[in-house]
């Protein structure tokens, strides 16, 4: 039996990255509750082949592969560092190139990282509307982590870790329900007795 394929997207321009660390931590948490195939991409690997593209036909092969992974995923865990109160421009450009119907009903767990708590609402004011456009199924609990929640690139804040665990459990529950439905046989229909 195939396992759900979760694609993590970290809108990071460098490594090591707190955003990537957060996305990976949540993916690992989902993996503890059920078997999954989990792959993470960040803008470091595709930025140069994405930023100069005006259309999908102009992206590099690496960027095209990431776009295909996004569009064929069973679920997404997306994260962006916050710059000037919003997601990064290249992160938005990546999703500008995603086919409009590709994410319909796809579960998406939203995350962001920033320098301080004043950026915490970026997940609600920018990320949730972006994925609402795609008619994706955004997981109710989003996760924001600030600079002080990490030590040496590892998420250590207990409250944020608990929130990440809650969000991961919600995503896992959605995946369990979807994969259980696909395994269940058609319901037996009983003929009316006369």
């Amino acid at each position: 039996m195939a396992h759900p394929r979760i694609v993590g997207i970290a809108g990071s321009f460098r490594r090591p990255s707190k955003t990537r660390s957060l996305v990976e931590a949540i993916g690992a948490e989902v993996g503890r509750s059920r078997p999954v195939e989990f792959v993470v991409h960040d803008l470091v690997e595709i930025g140069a082949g994405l930023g100069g593209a005006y259309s999908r036909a102009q992206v590099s092969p690496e960027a095209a592969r990431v776009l295909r992974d996004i569009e064929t995923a069973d679920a997404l865990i997306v994260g962006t560092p916050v710059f000037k109160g919003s997601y990064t421009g290249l992160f938005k450009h990546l999703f500008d190139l995603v086919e409009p119907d590709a994410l319909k009903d796809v579960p998406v767990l939203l995350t962001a990282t920033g320098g301080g708590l004043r950026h915490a609402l970026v997940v609600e004011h920018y990320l949730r509307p972006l994925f609402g456009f795609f008619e994706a199924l955004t997981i109710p609990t989003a996760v924001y982590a600030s600079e002080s929640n990490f030590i040496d690139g590892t998420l250590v804040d207990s409250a944020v870790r608990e929130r990440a665990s809650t969000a991961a459990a919600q995503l896992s529950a959605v995946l369990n329900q979807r994969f259980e439905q696909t395994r269940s046989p058609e319901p037996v229909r009983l003929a009316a007795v006369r």
Side-chain angles (χ1 to χ4, degrees):
M1 176 182 90
H3 301 303
R5 199 164 132 282
I6 301 174
V7 174
I9 300 294
S12 311
F13 298 119
R14 60 191 156 125
R15 290 185 191 151
S17 157
K18 291 175 193 66
T19 304
R20 185 177 176 115
S21 177
L22 179 59
V23 168
E24 288 176 336
I26 293 172
E29 185 71 26
V30 175
R32 281 191 273 286
S33 66
R34 64 159 300 122
V36 295
E37 178 188 337
F38 182 53
V39 61
V40 180
H41 299 290
D42 57 31
L43 297 180
V44 171
E45 65 188 86
I46 61 167
L50 176 67
Y54 295 113
S55 72
R56 190 153 172 165
Q58 297 173 326
V59 300
S60 69
E62 295 82 12
R65 178 177 46 85
V66 172
L67 286 165
R68 279 191 306 275
D69 276 359
I70 290 169
E71 293 174 344
T72 60
D74 293 309
L76 298 174
I77 299 173
V78 299
T80 182
V82 179
F83 291 121
K84 310 255 191 298
S86 181
Y87 42 60
T88 66
L90 203 51
F91 174 89
K92 175 64 165 63
H93 186 54
L94 174 66
F95 282 96
D96 284 343
L97 297 175
V98 170
E99 290 296 325
D101 294 333
L103 302 180
K104 185 175 176 140
D105 297 325
V106 173
V108 179
L109 195 155
L110 307 173
T111 75
T113 59
L117 291 177
R118 67 183 181 165
H119 297 300
L121 287 177
V122 75
V123 291
E124 300 302 328
H125 291 273
Y126 289 93
L127 290 176
R128 207 170 294 279
L130 173 62
F131 290 96
F133 164 81
F134 287 108
E135 297 181 49
L137 176 66
T138 55
I139 299 303
T141 300
V143 183
Y144 175 82
S146 63
E147 189 81 26
S148 63
N149 301 142
F150 294 87
I151 294 177
D152 295 328
T154 301
L155 181 63
V156 294
D157 183 273
S158 60
V160 178
R161 288 183 66 83
E162 184 176 329
R163 188 166 180 84
S165 182
T166 298
Q170 290 170 351
L171 177 58
S172 186
V174 170
L175 290 173
N176 286 341
Q177 181 182 28
R178 287 177 177 222
F179 273 72
E180 195 59 37
Q181 287 174 350
T182 60
R183 288 189 343 200
S184 297
E186 281 292 315
V188 176
R189 301 191 190 279
L190 302 175
V193 178
R194 294 184 190 237

